[in-house]
Amino acid sequence: MTVRVGVIGAGMIGQDHTRRLTEVVTGAAVTAVTDIDTLRAAEVAARVGATALPTGADLIASPDVDAVLVTSWGPTHAEHVLNAIAAGKPVFCEKPLATTAEDCLRIVEAERAQGRRLVQVGFMRRFDAGYRQMKEVLSTGSLGAPLIVHCAHRNPTVPESYHSAMAAQDTAVHEIDVLRWLLDDEIVSAQVVTPRATSKRFPHLKDPQIMIFETSEGVRIDLEVFVNCQYGYDIQCEVVGEDGLVRLPDPAAVGVRTAARHGTNVLQDWKDRFAEAFDTEFREWVASVAAGTEPTGPSSWDGYAATVITDAAVRSLESGGELVTTDMKPRPAFYGGTA
Ligand code: NAD
Ligand code: ISE
């Protein structure tokens, strides 16, 4: 069976995922595209032999669409995801699931009312081979209980439109999701402090930021978010346990020795760093839709949790570094919890 996907939002990542679904993943085809920029929708649709449709609602209702991909701007996600759930169609939503915790909860409730999981959220790091190897090591218990996690998320530069809250909402949100999954633990508080700012930033931006999270088991996570680090896109993660540690591998790269120096190149773009993770993410999502089974990737509950935790981090930043406890509802049994 070919899974016929409709794409809502044909911008940067919508086009990349359209290419992925068309050229990389087998068993999928993009059959419909919509964008508020109708010219862009028509151009992307023509590229892959799909139909350009006027609105997200038209696309979700189309009999040529089995499953929906939401890659429009964050504030529009909730409406499209809720419409897809109401139509009973599987929906892959790029992060964030929604920009407010209230909207995330509306999605959670709508999905529960449908009685089966339809939503997957685009936190692709869970599909990265390095993080998966770390999870395997942690799950053996050979390192003892995890105690501390050290992380860094560095981008070479960001555009002027990037503002200080985005360090949590757009950037750290990936660590927030992957660490909840890696540790199988919930984040219960956030604190954000700012060291001396780099002179390479825009004046409105607090960069870098140091985020400290605590989990319900008492694990402390420190995360450096530095989005104008200049030298490259660099993701670091090390989990320290009672009996040892496990570290995320750097991407494979040849070592060059010349002129009395030995080194490897550092990637410059998150799209290259996580290209294979994105491919795996879509292979597994398409396979679940084709099989008619529930998606195994991040759920709408994970989307809700990520938004609650990023909200806490933003509140801490705005308060000048106060410790903010997260205000999260108990996880329903539907999503593997006890409530
Ligand atoms: P973009 O601005 O390049 O593209 C968004 C597109 O959506 C635009 O073409 C815009 O016209 C269209 N759009 C906006 N509202 C719409 C609506 N209601 N209906 C139809 N089309 C609409 O943005 P982008 O960088 O592609 O980001 C899109 C989403 O993907 C964001 O939520 C972003 O956070 C997420 N994203 C995720 C990752 C990741 O690593 N997982 C990386 C980048 C972006
Ligand atoms: C970007 O918005 C993303 O979502 C990328 O995955 C992330 O790694 C990058 O740092 C963000 O700016």
Side-chain angles (χ1 to χ4, degrees):
M1 168 203 174
T2 297
V3 175
R4 299 168 306 164
V5 180
V7 179
I8 302 178
M12 185 270 298
I13 208 156
Q15 292 185 37
D16 199 34
H17 290 339
T18 296
R19 174 197 59 77
R20 179 166 283 115
L21 285 165
T22 310
E23 296 173 15
V24 180
V25 176
T26 51
V30 171
T31 50
V33 178
T34 188
D35 196 294
I36 48 169
D37 180 339
T38 51
L39 281 180
R40 180 177 285 179
E43 192 188 305
V44 175
R47 216 181 282 164
V48 294
T51 309
L53 293 172
T55 66
D58 296 324
L59 180 141
I60 290 164
S62 166
D64 296 330
V65 168
D66 304 315
V68 179
L69 169 59
V70 178
T71 44
S72 50
W73 295 320
T76 70
H77 290 182
E79 178 194 340
H80 300 307
V81 173
L82 285 165
N83 284 343
I85 293 171
K89 294 192 179 181
V91 51
F92 183 109
C93 179
E94 256 307 340
K95 58 90 184 160
L97 175 62
T99 47
T100 66
E102 291 71 27
D103 275 351
C104 290
L105 277 180
R106 286 170 59 215
I107 292 170
V108 161
E109 290 312 325
E111 188 179 43
R112 285 176 71 190
Q114 273 278 356
R116 69 187 177 108
R117 274 197 56 196
L118 288 168
V119 181
Q120 178 163 324
V121 185
F123 291 121
M124 74 296 185
R125 289 201 192 175
R126 296 188 189 201
F127 301 87
D128 174 75
Y131 279 111
R132 284 186 161 186
Q133 284 163 29
M134 287 180 81
K135 185 153 175 79
E136 253 177 64
V137 171
L138 288 167
S139 66
T140 64
S142 59
L143 302 184
L147 307 172
I148 312 171
V149 187
H150 304 293
C151 301
H153 186 148
R154 304 192 186 107
N155 296 54
T157 55
V158 286
E160 194 164 3
S161 56
Y162 190 102
H163 52 81
S164 298
M166 287 173 75
Q169 293 162 340
D170 203 49
T171 303
V173 70
H174 286 290
E175 271 80 13
I176 289 169
D177 177 71
V178 85
L179 292 176
R180 293 177 61 252
W181 168 80
L182 205 54
L183 299 172
D184 196 16
D185 196 357
E186 194 51 272
I187 291 173
V188 295
S189 73
Q191 186 176 17
V192 180
V193 292
T194 50
R196 176 186 184 180
T198 168
S199 62
K200 314 271 171 146
R201 80 201 194 286
F202 298 107
H204 67 266
L205 182 61
K206 292 196 167 98
D207 184 42
Q209 298 182 18
I210 300 169
M211 305 191 181
I212 302 152
F213 300 102
E214 186 176 10
T215 73
S216 66
E217 298 287 347
V219 178
R220 294 278 185 176
I221 297 162
D222 57 80
L223 165 62
E224 170 201 318
V225 175
F226 187 10
V227 293
N228 288 284
C229 81
Q230 309 297 311
Y231 72 86
Y233 182 72
D234 192 10
I235 300 299
Q236 300 294 326
C237 180
E238 181 179 274
V239 179
V240 181
E242 293 168 307
D243 294 312
L245 62 86
V246 59
R247 184 178 293 151
L248 183 71
D250 280 325
V254 288
V256 177
R257 290 163 198 254
T258 182
R261 294 176 66 84
H262 174 208
T264 54
N265 287 343
V266 178
L267 291 175
Q268 296 299 305
D269 195 327
W270 53 267
K271 281 197 229 79
D272 298 328
R273 171 65 182 83
F274 288 110
E276 284 173 25
F278 282 119
D279 291 349
T280 306
E281 178 185 44
F282 276 91
R283 272 194 199 100
E284 295 186 11
W285 178 65
V286 165
S288 73
V289 176
T293 54
E294 295 192 347
T296 53
S299 66
S300 50
W301 185 260
D302 295 315
Y304 162 69
T307 298
V308 170
I309 297 160
T310 53
D311 282 353
V314 172
R315 281 214 304 283
S316 175
L317 175 74
E318 289 172 352
S319 74
E322 276 175 23
L323 186 126
V324 177
T325 49
T326 56
D327 183 18
M328 203 178 298
K329 308 270 182 225
R331 186 202 289 249
F334 187 79
Y335 297 103
T338 50

